[in-house]
């Protein structure tokens, strides 16, 4: 390896969902990422339209919760971030906890703050391919530092 620090350096997309922003949890979520040594390579706040939420979650369009999930995701502002660190895709998933907060381990974001299987505070890409697609959904290369 010429530069071992770049070994397995990854980027992933993180979203603080409308419930997290409304409940003033953005600072706490960002603190957890920073505390874990994860670098924030890009960040912005925006409000998804229903159509944009449907496009983002298109992979779930056959699921019974698709309508409700996309209503929720377009119900208020969200914070979207590109996180960068070694193995950050899995590390972010570990910090988030299980989809259902009832199954999430103590100390994870969803265990500590989620109130509902749908309103679960954060989103994180689930693999290298989705990370790339999801980052490109929100950010151009010029917006990443
Ligand atoms: P993930 O966010 O942990 O990757 P996914 O299975 O990809 O979980 O589901 C995407 C989002 O859809 C979840 O974060 C949650 O907001 C919502 N969701 C997942 N399963 C259910 C369900 O059974 N009922 C309602 N909403 C759900
Ligand atoms: Mg998912």
């Amino acid at each position: 390896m010429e530069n071992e620090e770049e070994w397995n350096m990854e980027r992933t997309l993180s979203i603080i969902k409308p419930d997290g922003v409304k409940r003033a949890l953005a600072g706490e979520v960002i603190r957890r990422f920073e505390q874990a040594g994860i670098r924030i390579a890009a960040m912005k706040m925006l409000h998804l339209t229903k159509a944009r939420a449907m496009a983002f979650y298109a992979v779930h369009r056959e699921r019974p919760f698709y309508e409700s999930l996309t209503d929720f995701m377009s119900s208020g502002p969200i914070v979207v971030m590109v996180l960068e660190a070694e193995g950050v895709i899995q590390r972010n998933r570990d910090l988030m906890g299980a989809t259902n907060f009832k199954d999430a381990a103590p100390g994870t974001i969803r265990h500590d703050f989620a109130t509902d299987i749908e309103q679960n505070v954060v989103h994180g890409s689930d693999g290298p391919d989705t990370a790339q697609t999801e980052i490109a959904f929100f950010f151009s290369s010029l917006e990443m530092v």
Side-chain angles (χ1 to χ4, degrees):
M1 276 310 294
E2 210 166 81
N3 185 347
E4 288 193 31
E5 278 177 25
E6 288 185 10
W7 180 245
N8 199 28
M9 190 56 71
E10 287 178 342
R11 283 179 171 175
T12 193
L13 185 83
S14 168
I15 304 179
I16 304 173
K17 295 183 179 185
D19 60 326
V21 174
K22 263 186 208 118
R23 294 169 58 211
L25 295 170
E28 171 63 17
V29 171
I30 292 165
R31 190 191 67 78
R32 289 183 181 213
F33 295 150
E34 289 181 332
Q35 208 87 358
I38 292 170
R39 199 176 81 79
I40 297 168
M43 173 160 59
K44 61 189 169 189
M45 181 180 276
L46 56 95
H47 191 149
L48 287 173
T49 61
K50 171 79 171 171
R52 294 288 285 162
M54 289 174 78
F56 181 76
Y57 275 120
V59 63
H60 292 313
R61 66 187 169 277
E62 307 297 342
R63 303 281 202 91
F65 55 82
Y66 182 57
E67 202 50 45
S68 164
L69 172 63
T70 52
D71 278 346
F72 162 55
M73 287 302 290
S74 57
S75 70
I78 60 175
V79 174
V80 289
M81 285 171 275
V82 176
L83 305 181
E84 186 180 81
E86 215 175 292
V88 74
I89 297 172
Q90 188 55 48
R91 288 182 61 203
N92 179 44
R93 297 289 307 192
D94 293 345
L95 289 170
M96 289 163 57
T99 306
N100 188 344
F101 72 101
K102 290 178 178 165
D103 302 327
T108 61
I109 294 166
R110 284 165 166 174
H111 171 275
D112 294 353
F113 301 112
T115 54
D116 184 89
I117 187 169
E118 180 176 275
Q119 306 213 1
N120 57 5
V121 188
V122 278
H123 166 86
S125 309
D126 62 8
D129 294 343
T130 47
Q132 200 173 14
T133 312
E134 291 180 356
I135 288 169
F137 187 91
F138 288 106
F139 295 97
S140 76
S141 58
L142 284 174
E143 294 176 292
M144 281 178 264
V145 293

